[in-house]
Amino acid sequence: MSKIIDESIYRVKSFRGKYSRDRCRKCGSYFWSVKAREECGDAPCSDYTFFSIPVKRSLSYRDAIDVFLNFFNRYGHEIIEPRPVVARWREDLYLTIASIVAFQPHVTSGLVPPPANPLVIAQPCIRLEDIDSVGLTIGRHLTNFIMGGHHAFNYVDKQVYWTDETVEYARQFFVDEIGVPEEEIVFKESWWEGGGNAGPCFEVAIGGIELATLVFMMYRVNGSNYVEMPLKIVDTGYGIERIAWFTQKTPTAFHAVYGELVREFHRRLGILEPDTEILHEFARRAGRIRLEELSTIDKIIGEIGDALGMKKSSIEEQIRPTFDLYAIVDHTKTISMMLADGIVPSNSGEGYLARLVIRRVLRRLGRLNSDVPLVELVDKQLSFWGDMYPRMIKNRDRIREIVELEEDRYRETLSRVSTIASRYSKKSPTVEDLVDLYDSHGLPPDIVANELKKRYGVLVEVPPNFYSIVASRHSKPKIVREMEREAEALPDYVVSWALRFPETTRIFHENPYQRTFKAKVLGVLDGKYVVLDSTAFYPEGGGQIGDRGILIAGSRSYKVLDAKKVGNVIVHVMEGFEGITENIEVAGEIDWNVRYKRMRHHTATHILLGALRKVLGEHIWQAGAEKTELKARLDVTHYKLPSDEEIEKIEILANNIVDSAIDVKVHYLPRNVAENTYGFTLYQGGVPMTPIIRVVEIPNWDAEACFGTHVRNTSEVGGIKIVNVEKIADGIVRFEYVVATALANHIKGLEEKLRSVASKLGVGINEVDIRIDSTTRELNNLRSMLNLYRDVYINNLLQHIANKTVNVGVAKLCLLRLDIDDREMLRELLVRATSREPKLAILTIIPRDNRTYVEISIGLEAQESIDAKDIVSEIARYVNIKAGGKKDHVSGIIESNIDEVEKIIERTIQEYVKKVELTKPKNSRK
């Protein structure tokens, strides 16, 4: 059904006989209040008046958390430990953006019970969709915040509480606990959607600022339709930062939350703190500010000037820099939280979002002309918040290292801005172009805009919400449903057919060592697909390839090529089966030799992952894996290529676990129990949508939710050898390794290579190292001699160039033909020639396989009149040339022999220089 709101849901007990319902004259929303009013009491309809509203006491940020939790705990809500800001328990979201995210989708869908009912939580959150507003609104918008949530899950057979109690709790919290006069509270009717759920809600506003949202989650969002859920959920969000600000009456929320740290940032960045009266006057009006209408800031500054009798320019000088400073204060804490919880900055996933925040801070520091290293500011946040977030202190060294690396990478990016921006030298880039430049190259849009205006006079309009646009596009992963992943290679009609059958009994889980079995045929399709009531064939999943083997019917056997999982049904992919029909009994036999090797590699993957986390850090997270009978690979998040020493340490640790002969345990646990026991590292290999989690544990080393088959004891892995480590993407490192008997094949391959090298060196394999040493010495001697001869040759050529150079007015031209194809020598020659004579334009041609290699180099002064790319265009009128480069240097290949090319180029260059001379202004000719 479409969204239909039953207005009776807003008529709660607390309102009866005391509150009246009115409609805001500005936004049109309905609201409830004790006293008659024309406006809803929320920004931007009302200015902030909360500064003058009395409260019982001023609450520090930490006090506000405790007061909130303790209030609801007194009313029977169990306090739940907050989750990380990285939503590892979800595959449809990167960051924890609200307290309800901790319970979506498993609890909200009814799949598993909540950890307590009712419950209360103070959940740290990160939300980047409003990142461009941070600082401008003096604290109304933040990228990191703590959402205080009390939640009740109402089942058909168990009602906890609903609208009446939720509103009454809010009324009592603000009136009795905080001390707000009841006539100041407004409950505004609204609608909420998020994480696939929706429902009506109240927004609780006091003195112009929204302090809480009370959501009554009733629907599951299915496209444009709303499907009513049997489970009704109370989902509230109290703004802890805003409550602290509200009670402290500080000029900004940043002062309420960060206290002395704000003043420390002012001092360190050299930004004077605005006058307190100016800040208060600005803050009162800050609720009006919208990115779509930034001119509002100018109007507010004008109003403040009139109120205080000050010049607008004086207020501007004080206020404007603080917008960037407040954003820096907020963002550096967000960076600290993201990295502390294990995010590795990269160009994709949650790493993309971390890098976005880091680079936005660096850009703000640039705008303030500050040379303070970002790592210093982040370190201040780590010290300030370490008591609340112990992972910040635990991971301090790694966080600092990552931030320093990211700042270096940002500088590298800026060094390429001129080259990359030049593609828009003739037309202004669109918003999509700016997003693409940011996604592909990490270039901030305002830097691109400045570059294009300065160099080419091209004006660029940068949307004020640019980073919000980018963040919203990258806030969620592309969802691949578990069943779609498992049945990836099966046609849709086979998937639909398979889902008709009951769950297949998994012999491969009951006893992964069972090689043969008997089963009943439940269905056959297309002479290719078979479903049994039970099977020992492992279906492809979790990076482990599906089993192969045979099915035997009567006296005939039929090849099983693969096995696939569709939901809870296993589909056997056959080579063909004329004799297999429904309802008969068949015997099955897996290819045990292959299966056992894959089991060994799978267990080795868990062992290796534990070693990686021990050596490289707890931020290590599986990004992909594959286990075959020949070798395995494991892709993990990491910010740099590990050193040889680190790789050696990883290998030693992993093999220690093999040698320790630890029993591998398998547990089937309720989801809440599994998460409480092992934490969210359970979900390294993915998040199963099941109420019961199959946990594969190597005690005191690794525990993961895993569907795969494993050996009984780590000693069966035999040994682990890492054979390759490489960076396959930004922030992703791949480890390839072999185990047990697969090691023999790997060693055999190395031996063959060694024999080949020995044969080429003319020695036995035991003498290769000695011969390599002597050969290396000989090569080094030859290189030294070559460099001496090369230097003599270059000096002779430089003299030859000086004698052959023709002065054509705008430049000194030289066409040089070489018969030696020495790239290194040529590079050195061209650099020295154009440095010695800045007016030189030198064209070098070298024969190469009946074609001609061309290199054009233009000196600094010659570049004022001559463009190497234009010369290529002139040559292309006469011959087929493929070339590339920049204004000062081009290289390419001409599809003709050198004798023909030499004549053509001589004529072409003369014509080109004449053309340049004619187009040059008269007063600039010499």
Side-chain angles (χ1 to χ4, degrees), residues 253-273:
F254 298 102
H255 291 82
V257 174
Y258 295 90
E260 181 57 32
L261 201 58
V262 174
R263 284 176 279 279
E264 197 171 334
F265 271 55
H266 270 288
R267 286 194 296 269
R268 189 65 188 91
L269 296 176
I271 306 297
L272 291 175
E273 292 190 63

Side-chain angles (χ1 to χ4, degrees), residues 96-108:
T96 307
I97 58 172
S99 60
I100 193 64
V101 165
F103 312 107
Q104 288 174 318
H106 309 100
V107 176
T108 57

Side-chain angles (χ1 to χ4, degrees), residues 537-555:
F537 283 89
Y538 177 82
E540 182 179 359
Q544 183 176 330
I545 298 171
D547 283 336
R548 55 180 184 250
I550 58 172
L551 289 181
I552 303 168
S555 59

Side-chain angles (χ1 to χ4, degrees), residues 32-50:
W32 297 80
S33 178
V34 168
K35 70 177 183 181
R37 57 177 77 221
E38 294 184 338
E39 295 169 0
C40 63
D42 193 11
C45 300
S46 304
D47 278 347
Y48 291 158
T49 60
F50 69 84

Side-chain angles (χ1 to χ4, degrees), residues 132-143:
D132 293 290
S133 298
V134 175
L136 295 175
T137 57
I138 311 299
R140 180 159 55 91
H141 294 97
L142 304 167
T143 59

Side-chain angles (χ1 to χ4, degrees), residues 9 162 198-200 216-220 227-229 231-232:
I9 199 167
W162 194 228
F216 308 108
M217 193 184 291
M218 304 170 60
Y219 303 100
R220 178 173 56 83
V227 181
E228 187 167 356
M229 303 187 303
L231 176 61
K232 304 294 192 293

Side-chain angles (χ1 to χ4, degrees), residues 515 590-598 629 741:
R515 309 178 189 191
I590 64 170
D591 186 332
W592 173 248
N593 183 45
V594 170
R595 155 74 85 77
Y596 190 53
K597 289 177 180 176
R598 291 174 183 171
E629 62 273 23
T741 52

Side-chain angles (χ1 to χ4, degrees), residues 761 763 767-781:
L761 291 172
V763 296
E767 300 168 312
V768 166
D769 55 340
I770 298 170
R771 177 53 65 88
I772 287 289
D773 286 342
S774 62
T775 302
T776 301
R777 284 194 297 273
E778 290 172 15
L779 282 172
N780 287 334
N781 289 335

